Amino acid sequence: MKLARILVDGTPTAVVVEDGVAYEAHGDWFVGEPRRGRELGLFEAFTVLPPVERPSKIVAVGLNYAAHVTENDPSRKIPDEPVLFLKPPSALLGHGGTILLPPGNRIDYEAELCLVIGRRAQRVPEPSALDYVLGYTCGNDVSHRDLQYKDGQWVRGKGFDTFCPLGPWIETELDPSDLAIVSRLNGEPRQNSRTSQMLFPPAFLVSFISQVMTLEPGDVIMTGTPYGVGPMVPGDVIEVEIEGIGVLRNLVGAREDRR
């Protein structure tokens, strides 16, 4: 089932998407499977919101594909545990929205498989960890490299408003273990890998993170990006496509203080 959020006559509305058509979704996603209601129209005809409304946190994983580890820093070593950081919920952006670039020399796209937590997870064992996942969506961990390198930690460089596009929906029926993950810049392929190449797979990540912090329904885990990241500039179109989910597409624009 594909679960999404759109604006209907200016009102945020939860929907089920089937064959490109949006239907009202009745019921709480995090309690049971929603019921399909009346037909609203073609999904792409609406303004699409981030598929999660107010996550308590967005937990991101760095350096989770071996080929990406040394891509921007040849001195990096492959980590023996997941590298975690947080992106603020204020960074969320929906499918079709515009990524607004602040001043800077290089701001990169990073295609990622994202997990949406479905029920409270605290110190869960790895074998049952995916039982706590509602579903999966496409994400773009937009990264301001100037500030990332300057600060030595990643929160500021990855935390700007619009720096966390997610969507277009949450796919609830998916095996995340071996999915194609691709990014395209202005239609040209840039990243092309599979989730089976992760150093730390999704179930391990849910379990590992839940040993540190309690994951609440609606929280998001960004699982890391493969090799091939690169810069975006205003006027670009960036797409993230993940097998079995769909395509997250965003325009790239400039914040008013960017020269």
Side-chain angles (χ1 to χ4, degrees):
M1 178 175 283
K2 293 178 172 63
L3 304 175
R5 296 173 61 248
I6 60 176
L7 281 180
V8 179
D9 296 328
T11 301
T13 303
V15 296
V16 174
V17 183
E18 295 181 2
D19 298 322
V21 176
Y23 300 84
E24 287 181 337
H26 298 299
D28 187 336
W29 297 355
F30 302 104
V31 174
E33 186 172 290
R35 304 181 310 280
R36 195 185 85 171
R38 68 184 177 98
E39 180 178 330
L40 297 173
L42 291 176
F43 176 75
E44 291 285 354
F46 293 92
T47 297
V48 181
L49 303 172
V52 288
E53 184 175 6
R54 286 188 295 270
S56 72
K57 52 193 166 293
I58 301 167
V59 186
V61 180
L63 311 179
N64 199 23
Y65 289 79
H68 172 62
V69 172
T70 57
E71 184 174 8
N72 288 321
D73 183 353
S75 66
R76 277 181 178 161
K77 295 181 180 180
I78 292 177
D80 55 11
E81 288 186 319
V83 176
L84 304 181
F85 61 97
L86 296 173
K87 289 176 82 85
S90 55
L92 285 172
L93 181 70
H95 168 71
T98 300
I99 301 166
L100 295 177
L101 304 187
N105 294 314
R106 176 169 172 167
I107 300 174
D108 285 5
Y109 55 82
E110 295 191 0
E112 309 207 5
L113 172 70
C114 298
L115 321 180
V116 178
I117 299 300
R119 58 192 178 102
R120 198 167 194 263
Q122 185 179 52
R123 297 193 296 275
V124 301
E126 184 178 352
S128 62
L130 294 186
D131 294 342
Y132 293 80
V133 175
L134 171 68
Y136 307 87
T137 191
C138 305
N140 186 349
D141 177 19
V142 181
S143 302
H144 194 309
R145 298 301 184 201
D146 306 354
L147 299 180
Q148 184 179 353
Y149 300 149
K150 178 180 180 181
D151 293 352
Q153 51 81 25
W154 304 347
V155 174
R156 181 165 67 136
K158 292 172 175 278
F160 284 85
D161 291 353
T162 75
F163 270 28
C164 189
L166 292 183
W169 43 61
I170 300 167
E171 175 56 67
T172 64
E173 300 171 10
L174 193 67
D175 177 353
S177 60
D178 186 28
L179 304 173
I181 177 169
V182 176
S183 66
R184 289 184 291 269
L185 187 68
N186 302 322
E188 295 293 326
R190 289 292 186 263
Q191 295 173 278
N192 190 348
S193 188
R194 302 194 68 85
T195 59
S196 55
Q197 299 303 305
M198 289 183 188
L199 297 170
F200 307 105
F204 181 88
L205 292 175
V206 173
S207 177
F208 181 87
I209 294 167
S210 77
Q211 310 303 316
V212 179
M213 64 191 81
T214 300
L215 295 167
E216 301 290 353
D219 283 353
V220 176
I221 297 175
M222 305 188 77
T223 62
T225 197
Y227 177 86
V229 302
M232 304 177 293
V233 297
D236 284 342
V237 176
I238 182 68
E239 296 176 309
V240 175
E241 181 171 6
I242 299 179
E243 180 182 3
I245 301 176
V247 179
L248 168 67
R249 182 181 300 106
N250 294 98
L251 305 176
V252 182
R255 212 169 68 172
E256 67 278 0
D257 57 345
R258 183 182 173 95
R259 297 290 183 265

